Structures are given as structure tokens and as C-alpha cells.
Amino acid sequence: MQVFTTKTDLIDYLSTIAKERTIGFVPTMGALHQGHLRLIEESNNNCDITICSIFINPTQFNNPKDLAKYPNTLDKDLSLLKKANCNIVYSPQVSDLYIVGEKAKNYNFGDLATLMEGKHRPGHFNGMATIVEKFFRIINPTIAFFGQKDLQQLQIVKALVKQIKIAIEIISVPIIREKSGLAKSSRNKLLSPSDKEHASLIYKCLLYCKNNKSEGVNKLKKYLCKIINSNKNIELEYVEFVNLNKMKIIEDWGEENKNAICVAVYVSGVRLIDNIIL
Ligand code: AMP
């Protein structure tokens, strides 16, 4: 496994080995877990070369405290990636990707970015798209792999490749969960065992909705809010029932597997998101 900390070295290396080979790209912010490793596996299965980036992108954090406490476990990440047969890691400093004072670009993703993460984390998607576009232009992968855990992000990345007219296929991977149902997340490292127990309520509620879809959107939304709000350790930020492709609020179910319920909560000050497609 080759590890690069500058884009110049990475580009040089790719120019020597990437000819006629397909490149799979997995962008991450590190503190890797099984969810990330599932993306690496998918890339290995689909491409000749797998590149993983580890970069905590400052422009996508609207809350400086969230950025400051984001976990950083680089040595462990590198050993996990090696075991997972990742070929190349790119783990740059901020100065390799941003000039001093550089801000996120302003994109227009329309309705895709107005609700949920777009509403509650102002500037988040501009920051995310800025760094993803930079990575795409440096690496020029054949396929990029994203998790359904960040469902709205996934739809925005698909829109981004169309907008910037770059020929990269986007493949998504289902959410990997802990035994309790809690979605794996780097932020779970900041939770105590009892926090995790409380947080596992989210998936139980989402699963209830999937299994009781016939109760209808409005009734299930009220149910979800009531159950989550009744746990004093969980602070609900939003729950939205949306159309999967447009990320717009629905009043009634659309076609099977074209609807999603997306949730964001805080548990002991740690922000967690989850969703289910139904
Ligand atoms: P992050 O490091 O949190 O920015 O995530 C990097 C990539 O891993 C994104 O495409 C995420 O959607 C994906 N990811 C994070 N957690 C999971 C999970 N539990 N299951 C599947 N993919 C995930």
C-alpha cells in the first residue's frame, strides 16, 4: 500500500501505474470502521486499483466544535486499509488542498440540498462538494464509492458529476450497522456504551416504520417523533419522510423503495444521522 500526503506525488505515481487500469475511489474523513471497509471491498471488487482518501475537510463543518472533536486515528486507519487490500492512501494536510483563506465554492443543487442536512448544516454541502470535486479532478477515478448512510450527500454527489460534466460512475453501498442496529459512524467513538444503547432506538424506530408502512406517512412520522422525544438522552434535530431521488418531503408513499426516512439526533452532544429506504 502506497501512502501519499501531497497531490503532486499522488498524481506523479498515478501517471506511472494507472494507464489502462480502472481506479476506484473511496473518500473518507478517517476514524475508519466496517462501513468504510465495505466501500473499499466494493471498490476492490469493481476496479483494478483502490484509492482511499483520509481528510477531515474543514469547509464542510459549519460547527467549529464538531470539527475540533472529530476523531483522528490515522495509524489505525492505515493498518485497517492495508488489511483490506487498499492500494493507495491519500492523507493530505489542509494546505495541500486549499490555499490560505480559500472558502467553499457555491454550488446550486436546488431542492436536493434545501432540507435536512442542507437546512441544519448551512454550507455543509458546498464544503462537501468542493472537496469531492477537488478529489475527482486530482484522482480522476473510474468509479467513486459512497455510503447510503449519508443519503442526501450521495444524491448531491450524483448531481455534482452531472453539473461539472465529469465521467465518473457513482456506486452506493448500504448502511453497515452494529449488532444493536446503530449505524456505524466515526462519531460513535465519542459515545459511551450507554449512549450507544440509547442511540440504537433510532434504527428500531426506522425499522418499525418499514415494517408498518401501511400505517401511512403522517401517522408514522408522529410515532417516530413521539418515541424519540420520549427518550431524554436523545435530542431530535429532524425527521423527514422524503422521495429518495429528489429529497423532497412526501405526504404519501411513492413507488416501493423510492422513499426514505431520514433522521438526525444528538446523543450526549454527538450528532448522529441515519435513514432507511422503503
Ligand atoms: P465519512 O468518513 O463519515 O465522511 O464517510 C465516508 C464514506 O463512508 C461516506 O460515503 C459515508 O456515507 C460512508 N459511510 C459512513 N458510515 C457508513 C456506514 N455505516 N455504512 C456504509 N457506509 C458508510
Side-chain angles (χ1 to χ4, degrees):
M1 189 173 79
Q2 301 284 327
V3 181
F4 296 96
T5 54
T6 68
K7 58 177 181 286
T8 321
D9 289 347
L10 174 65
I11 291 167
D12 276 357
Y13 182 71
L14 286 177
S15 70
T16 64
I17 63 140
K19 286 189 200 88
E20 319 257 319
R21 293 205 251 181
T22 53
I23 300 181
F25 174 47
V26 179
T28 80
M29 298 204 297
L32 301 183
H33 51 68
Q34 290 302 320
H36 297 114
L37 298 178
R38 183 67 198 78
L39 292 167
I40 300 288
E41 190 186 331
E42 194 67 20
S43 174
N44 283 341
N45 290 341
N46 282 279
C47 299
D48 301 327
I49 299 167
T50 293
I51 305 184
C52 177
S53 63
I54 298 179
F55 180 65
I56 303 175
N57 174 38
T59 63
Q60 73 187 65
F61 284 81
N62 57 313
N63 177 349
K65 278 190 200 149
D66 192 22
L67 172 61
K69 71 179 180 192
Y70 200 86
N72 181 337
T73 58
L74 186 61
D75 290 343
K76 192 167 163 236
D77 292 348
L78 293 178
S79 92
L80 286 172
L81 287 172
K82 202 167 173 186
K83 272 192 214 128
N85 295 319
C86 178
N87 304 109
I88 300 173
V89 180
Y90 176 42
S91 63
Q93 297 296 313
V94 174
S95 58
D96 196 47
L97 289 163
Y98 289 99
I99 56 169
V100 176
E102 183 180 345
K103 300 260 182 320
K105 267 174 77 171
N106 253 316
Y107 296 86
N108 182 359
F109 295 115
D111 289 338
L112 277 182
T114 49
L115 293 174
M116 306 187 290
E117 299 301 283
K119 178 172 168 190
H120 291 274
R121 300 185 72 189
H124 169 67
F125 285 130
N126 278 332
M128 181 279 292
T130 298
I131 198 64
V132 169
E133 181 174 352
K134 282 178 190 278
F135 283 141
F136 282 178
R137 295 200 187 281
I138 292 168
I139 294 166
N140 195 19
T142 320
I143 311 179
F145 297 83
F146 288 82
Q148 285 172 10
K149 158 102 182 337
D150 299 271
L151 193 60
Q152 198 176 9
Q153 163 177 288
L154 168 66
Q155 306 301 22
I156 288 176
V157 170
K158 286 183 185 168
L160 173 71
V161 293
K162 282 193 194 142
Q163 263 180 36
I164 62 175
K165 299 190 175 62
I166 198 164
I168 298 173
E169 187 184 348
I170 305 299
I171 290 189
S172 67
V173 165
I175 301 176
I176 305 297
R177 300 180 176 281
E178 312 217 341
K179 275 207 189 84
S180 68
L182 175 64
K184 296 244 182 204
S185 164
S186 304
R187 290 186 162 96
N188 292 357
K189 293 190 166 67
L190 305 170
L191 300 175
S192 70
S194 105
D195 290 335
K196 282 191 183 184
E197 174 103 26
H198 291 300
S200 70
L201 178 66
I202 309 299
Y203 184 59
K204 292 190 182 87
C205 290
L206 291 175
L207 207 53
Y208 177 90
C209 293
K210 190 172 168 93
N211 293 333
N212 294 276
K213 213 177 148 185
S214 60
E215 289 187 21
V217 169
N218 290 333
K219 193 165 165 203
L220 288 172
K221 187 168 180 181
K222 278 189 196 127
Y223 162 84
L224 244 173
C225 292
K226 189 172 149 213
I227 299 287
I228 295 176
N229 283 326
S230 69
N231 184 319
K232 297 208 166 31
N233 297 280
I234 307 179
E235 189 191 323
L236 180 62
E237 185 173 68
Y238 67 74
V239 47
E240 298 294 5
F241 287 54
V242 295
N243 166 306
L244 178 62
N245 295 322
K246 297 190 177 142
M247 294 281 116
K248 281 174 85 170
I249 289 177
I250 52 168
E251 302 286 338
D252 297 298
W253 299 121
E255 230 178 283
E256 186 81 12
N257 292 322
K258 294 286 182 206
N259 316 279
I261 308 174
C262 301
V263 182
V265 302
Y266 283 87
V267 176
S268 291
V270 179
R271 190 170 189 277
L272 303 172
I273 59 170
D274 200 351
N275 67 77
I276 199 161
I277 295 174
L278 68 176

